[in-house]
Short mmCIF file of all heavy atoms in Angstrom, two decimals:
data_model
loop_
_atom_site.label_atom_id
_atom_site.label_comp_id
_atom_site.label_asym_id
_atom_site.label_seq_id
_atom_site.Cartn_x
_atom_site.Cartn_y
_atom_site.Cartn_z
N VAL W 1 11.79 -12.73 4.83
CA VAL W 1 12.18 -11.48 4.18
C VAL W 1 13.69 -11.43 3.96
O VAL W 1 14.17 -11.00 2.91
CB VAL W 1 11.70 -10.26 5.01
CG1 VAL W 1 12.38 -8.98 4.58
CG2 VAL W 1 10.20 -10.11 4.88
N MET W 2 14.45 -11.90 4.95
CA MET W 2 15.90 -11.84 4.82
C MET W 2 16.45 -12.93 3.91
O MET W 2 17.51 -12.77 3.32
CB MET W 2 16.55 -11.91 6.20
CG MET W 2 16.22 -10.69 7.05
SD MET W 2 16.85 -10.78 8.71
CE MET W 2 18.54 -10.32 8.44
N MET W 3 15.73 -14.06 3.78
CA MET W 3 16.20 -15.13 2.91
C MET W 3 15.86 -14.88 1.44
O MET W 3 16.59 -15.28 0.55
CB MET W 3 15.59 -16.47 3.34
CG MET W 3 16.12 -16.99 4.64
SD MET W 3 17.87 -17.39 4.57
CE MET W 3 17.86 -18.81 3.52
N LEU W 4 14.73 -14.21 1.18
CA LEU W 4 14.34 -13.93 -0.20
C LEU W 4 15.08 -12.71 -0.72
O LEU W 4 15.32 -11.76 0.02
CB LEU W 4 12.83 -13.69 -0.29
CG LEU W 4 11.94 -14.88 0.05
CD1 LEU W 4 10.49 -14.47 -0.02
CD2 LEU W 4 12.19 -16.03 -0.92
N ASP W 5 15.38 -12.74 -1.97
CA ASP W 5 16.00 -11.58 -2.60
C ASP W 5 14.88 -10.72 -3.20
O ASP W 5 14.46 -10.92 -4.33
CB ASP W 5 16.98 -12.04 -3.68
CG ASP W 5 17.79 -10.89 -4.23
OD1 ASP W 5 17.82 -9.83 -3.56
OD2 ASP W 5 18.37 -11.03 -5.31
N VAL W 6 14.37 -9.79 -2.39
CA VAL W 6 13.22 -8.99 -2.81
C VAL W 6 13.70 -7.82 -3.65
O VAL W 6 14.57 -7.05 -3.25
CB VAL W 6 12.45 -8.48 -1.57
CG1 VAL W 6 11.26 -7.64 -1.99
CG2 VAL W 6 12.00 -9.64 -0.71
N ASN W 7 13.11 -7.69 -4.85
CA ASN W 7 13.42 -6.56 -5.73
C ASN W 7 12.51 -5.39 -5.34
O ASN W 7 11.34 -5.34 -5.70
CB ASN W 7 13.19 -6.96 -7.19
CG ASN W 7 13.69 -5.90 -8.14
OD1 ASN W 7 14.15 -4.84 -7.72
ND2 ASN W 7 13.61 -6.18 -9.42
N LEU W 8 13.07 -4.43 -4.59
CA LEU W 8 12.27 -3.33 -4.07
C LEU W 8 11.78 -2.40 -5.17
O LEU W 8 10.68 -1.86 -5.09
CB LEU W 8 13.08 -2.54 -3.03
CG LEU W 8 13.50 -3.33 -1.79
CD1 LEU W 8 14.36 -2.47 -0.89
CD2 LEU W 8 12.29 -3.83 -1.04
N GLU W 9 12.58 -2.19 -6.19
CA GLU W 9 12.15 -1.29 -7.27
C GLU W 9 10.94 -1.84 -8.00
O GLU W 9 10.04 -1.11 -8.37
CB GLU W 9 13.31 -1.09 -8.25
CG GLU W 9 14.52 -0.38 -7.65
CD GLU W 9 14.17 0.98 -7.08
OE1 GLU W 9 13.33 1.68 -7.69
OE2 GLU W 9 14.72 1.34 -6.02
N ARG W 10 10.90 -3.15 -8.17
CA ARG W 10 9.76 -3.76 -8.86
C ARG W 10 8.50 -3.68 -8.01
O ARG W 10 7.39 -3.56 -8.52
CB ARG W 10 10.09 -5.20 -9.19
CG ARG W 10 9.12 -5.84 -10.13
CD ARG W 10 9.62 -7.18 -10.58
NE ARG W 10 8.60 -7.89 -11.32
CZ ARG W 10 8.64 -9.16 -11.63
NH1 ARG W 10 9.69 -9.86 -11.30
NH2 ARG W 10 7.68 -9.72 -12.29
N LEU W 11 8.66 -3.78 -6.68
CA LEU W 11 7.51 -3.68 -5.80
C LEU W 11 6.90 -2.28 -5.80
O LEU W 11 5.70 -2.12 -5.61
CB LEU W 11 7.91 -4.05 -4.36
CG LEU W 11 8.18 -5.52 -4.09
CD1 LEU W 11 8.66 -5.70 -2.66
CD2 LEU W 11 6.94 -6.34 -4.32
N ARG W 12 7.74 -1.26 -6.01
CA ARG W 12 7.26 0.12 -5.95
C ARG W 12 6.67 0.61 -7.27
O ARG W 12 6.20 1.74 -7.33
CB ARG W 12 8.41 1.03 -5.54
CG ARG W 12 8.87 0.82 -4.13
CD ARG W 12 9.80 1.94 -3.69
NE ARG W 12 10.48 1.54 -2.47
CZ ARG W 12 11.78 1.35 -2.37
NH1 ARG W 12 12.56 1.51 -3.40
NH2 ARG W 12 12.32 1.00 -1.22
N GLU W 13 6.72 -0.22 -8.30
CA GLU W 13 6.28 0.27 -9.61
C GLU W 13 4.81 0.66 -9.62
O GLU W 13 4.44 1.68 -10.19
CB GLU W 13 6.53 -0.81 -10.67
CG GLU W 13 7.99 -0.91 -11.08
CD GLU W 13 8.22 -2.05 -12.06
OE1 GLU W 13 7.24 -2.75 -12.40
OE2 GLU W 13 9.37 -2.24 -12.47
N GLY W 14 3.93 -0.11 -9.01
CA GLY W 14 2.50 0.17 -9.06
C GLY W 14 1.98 0.98 -7.90
O GLY W 14 0.77 1.05 -7.68
N PHE W 15 2.88 1.65 -7.15
CA PHE W 15 2.45 2.37 -5.96
C PHE W 15 1.55 3.55 -6.31
O PHE W 15 0.47 3.70 -5.76
CB PHE W 15 3.68 2.86 -5.18
CG PHE W 15 3.35 3.68 -3.98
CD1 PHE W 15 2.89 3.07 -2.82
CD2 PHE W 15 3.47 5.06 -4.00
CE1 PHE W 15 2.57 3.83 -1.71
CE2 PHE W 15 3.15 5.82 -2.89
CZ PHE W 15 2.70 5.20 -1.75
N TRP W 16 1.98 4.39 -7.21
CA TRP W 16 1.21 5.61 -7.52
C TRP W 16 -0.09 5.28 -8.25
O TRP W 16 -1.08 6.00 -8.11
CB TRP W 16 2.05 6.58 -8.34
CG TRP W 16 3.21 7.11 -7.57
CD1 TRP W 16 4.52 6.82 -7.75
CD2 TRP W 16 3.15 7.99 -6.44
NE1 TRP W 16 5.29 7.46 -6.82
CE2 TRP W 16 4.48 8.19 -6.00
CE3 TRP W 16 2.12 8.62 -5.76
CZ2 TRP W 16 4.78 9.00 -4.92
CZ3 TRP W 16 2.42 9.43 -4.68
CH2 TRP W 16 3.75 9.62 -4.27
N ALA W 17 -0.11 4.19 -9.00
CA ALA W 17 -1.34 3.81 -9.70
C ALA W 17 -2.41 3.34 -8.72
O ALA W 17 -3.60 3.56 -8.93
CB ALA W 17 -1.05 2.72 -10.73
N ASN W 18 -2.00 2.69 -7.62
CA ASN W 18 -2.95 2.16 -6.64
C ASN W 18 -3.22 3.11 -5.49
O ASN W 18 -4.03 2.79 -4.61
CB ASN W 18 -2.44 0.82 -6.08
CG ASN W 18 -2.34 -0.25 -7.14
OD1 ASN W 18 -3.17 -0.30 -8.05
ND2 ASN W 18 -1.32 -1.08 -7.04
N LEU W 19 -2.55 4.26 -5.46
CA LEU W 19 -2.69 5.19 -4.33
C LEU W 19 -4.11 5.73 -4.17
O LEU W 19 -4.62 5.77 -3.04
CB LEU W 19 -1.68 6.33 -4.47
CG LEU W 19 -1.65 7.32 -3.30
CD1 LEU W 19 -1.24 6.59 -2.02
CD2 LEU W 19 -0.71 8.46 -3.59
N PRO W 20 -4.82 6.16 -5.23
CA PRO W 20 -6.19 6.67 -5.01
C PRO W 20 -7.13 5.64 -4.39
O PRO W 20 -7.90 5.96 -3.47
CB PRO W 20 -6.65 7.07 -6.43
CG PRO W 20 -5.40 7.28 -7.20
CD PRO W 20 -4.41 6.34 -6.62
N LEU W 21 -7.07 4.41 -4.88
CA LEU W 21 -7.93 3.36 -4.31
C LEU W 21 -7.56 3.10 -2.85
O LEU W 21 -8.43 2.93 -1.99
CB LEU W 21 -7.81 2.08 -5.14
CG LEU W 21 -8.62 0.89 -4.63
CD1 LEU W 21 -10.10 1.18 -4.67
CD2 LEU W 21 -8.29 -0.35 -5.44
N ALA W 22 -6.26 3.06 -2.56
CA ALA W 22 -5.81 2.82 -1.18
C ALA W 22 -6.27 3.94 -0.26
O ALA W 22 -6.72 3.69 0.87
CB ALA W 22 -4.30 2.67 -1.15
N LEU W 23 -6.19 5.19 -0.72
CA LEU W 23 -6.65 6.31 0.11
C LEU W 23 -8.16 6.26 0.33
O LEU W 23 -8.64 6.57 1.43
CB LEU W 23 -6.26 7.64 -0.55
CG LEU W 23 -4.77 7.98 -0.51
CD1 LEU W 23 -4.50 9.27 -1.28
CD2 LEU W 23 -4.28 8.10 0.92
N ALA W 24 -8.92 5.87 -0.70
CA ALA W 24 -10.37 5.77 -0.55
C ALA W 24 -10.75 4.68 0.47
O ALA W 24 -11.58 4.91 1.37
CB ALA W 24 -11.02 5.47 -1.90
N VAL W 25 -10.12 3.51 0.36
CA VAL W 25 -10.40 2.42 1.31
C VAL W 25 -9.97 2.82 2.72
O VAL W 25 -10.68 2.59 3.70
CB VAL W 25 -9.71 1.12 0.85
CG1 VAL W 25 -9.81 0.05 1.91
CG2 VAL W 25 -10.31 0.63 -0.46
N GLY W 26 -8.79 3.45 2.83
CA GLY W 26 -8.33 3.90 4.14
C GLY W 26 -9.25 4.94 4.75
O GLY W 26 -9.52 4.92 5.95
N GLY W 27 -9.77 5.86 3.92
CA GLY W 27 -10.69 6.87 4.41
C GLY W 27 -11.99 6.26 4.93
O GLY W 27 -12.51 6.67 5.98
N VAL W 28 -12.52 5.28 4.19
CA VAL W 28 -13.74 4.60 4.65
C VAL W 28 -13.50 3.89 5.98
O VAL W 28 -14.33 3.96 6.90
CB VAL W 28 -14.22 3.60 3.57
CG1 VAL W 28 -15.32 2.70 4.11
CG2 VAL W 28 -14.72 4.35 2.34
N MET W 29 -12.34 3.25 6.11
CA MET W 29 -12.03 2.56 7.37
C MET W 29 -11.91 3.54 8.53
O MET W 29 -12.38 3.28 9.64
CB MET W 29 -10.75 1.74 7.22
CG MET W 29 -10.91 0.54 6.32
SD MET W 29 -9.36 -0.33 5.99
CE MET W 29 -8.91 -0.88 7.62
N VAL W 30 -11.29 4.70 8.29
CA VAL W 30 -11.15 5.70 9.35
C VAL W 30 -12.51 6.24 9.78
O VAL W 30 -12.79 6.38 10.98
CB VAL W 30 -10.22 6.84 8.87
CG1 VAL W 30 -10.30 8.03 9.80
CG2 VAL W 30 -8.79 6.35 8.78
N VAL W 31 -13.38 6.50 8.81
CA VAL W 31 -14.73 6.99 9.15
C VAL W 31 -15.50 5.95 9.96
O VAL W 31 -16.17 6.28 10.95
CB VAL W 31 -15.49 7.37 7.85
CG1 VAL W 31 -16.96 7.61 8.13
CG2 VAL W 31 -14.87 8.60 7.22
N GLU W 32 -15.39 4.68 9.55
CA GLU W 32 -16.09 3.62 10.30
C GLU W 32 -15.54 3.51 11.72
O GLU W 32 -16.32 3.37 12.68
CB GLU W 32 -15.93 2.28 9.58
CG GLU W 32 -16.73 2.17 8.31
CD GLU W 32 -16.47 0.87 7.57
OE1 GLU W 32 -15.51 0.16 7.94
OE2 GLU W 32 -17.22 0.58 6.63
N MET W 33 -14.22 3.57 11.89
CA MET W 33 -13.65 3.47 13.23
C MET W 33 -14.06 4.65 14.10
O MET W 33 -14.38 4.48 15.28
CB MET W 33 -12.13 3.36 13.14
CG MET W 33 -11.65 1.99 12.71
SD MET W 33 -9.89 1.73 12.90
CE MET W 33 -9.25 2.69 11.55
N ILE W 34 -14.06 5.85 13.54
CA ILE W 34 -14.47 7.03 14.31
C ILE W 34 -15.94 6.91 14.72
O ILE W 34 -16.31 7.22 15.86
CB ILE W 34 -14.21 8.32 13.50
CG1 ILE W 34 -12.70 8.56 13.40
CG2 ILE W 34 -14.91 9.51 14.13
CD1 ILE W 34 -12.32 9.70 12.50
N ALA W 35 -16.79 6.42 13.80
CA ALA W 35 -18.21 6.26 14.14
C ALA W 35 -18.41 5.24 15.26
O ALA W 35 -19.19 5.46 16.19
CB ALA W 35 -18.98 5.83 12.89
N ILE W 36 -17.68 4.14 15.19
CA ILE W 36 -17.83 3.11 16.22
C ILE W 36 -17.29 3.61 17.57
O ILE W 36 -17.93 3.43 18.61
CB ILE W 36 -17.10 1.82 15.79
CG1 ILE W 36 -17.85 1.17 14.64
CG2 ILE W 36 -16.96 0.85 16.95
CD1 ILE W 36 -17.11 0.02 14.00
#
């Protein structure tokens, strides 16, 4: 991480577009963990 020159702005570009899918997958994982 410290050797690579990571462009943080470019990494954040698709954050809001992928947020609904990420929340859905995270919600399923939380429900499964609570059930177990």
Side-chain angles (χ1 to χ4, degrees):
V1 165
M2 294 176 80
M3 290 296 291
L4 295 177
D5 188 17
V6 179
N7 188 357
L8 298 177
E9 296 302 323
R10 192 171 171 193
L11 288 176
R12 292 192 194 115
E13 283 176 0
F15 176 77
W16 294 109
N18 297 324
L19 184 62
L21 178 63
L23 288 176
V25 171
V28 169
M29 290 174 63
V30 167
V31 169
E32 288 176 349
M33 284 191 286
I34 289 173
I36 290 171

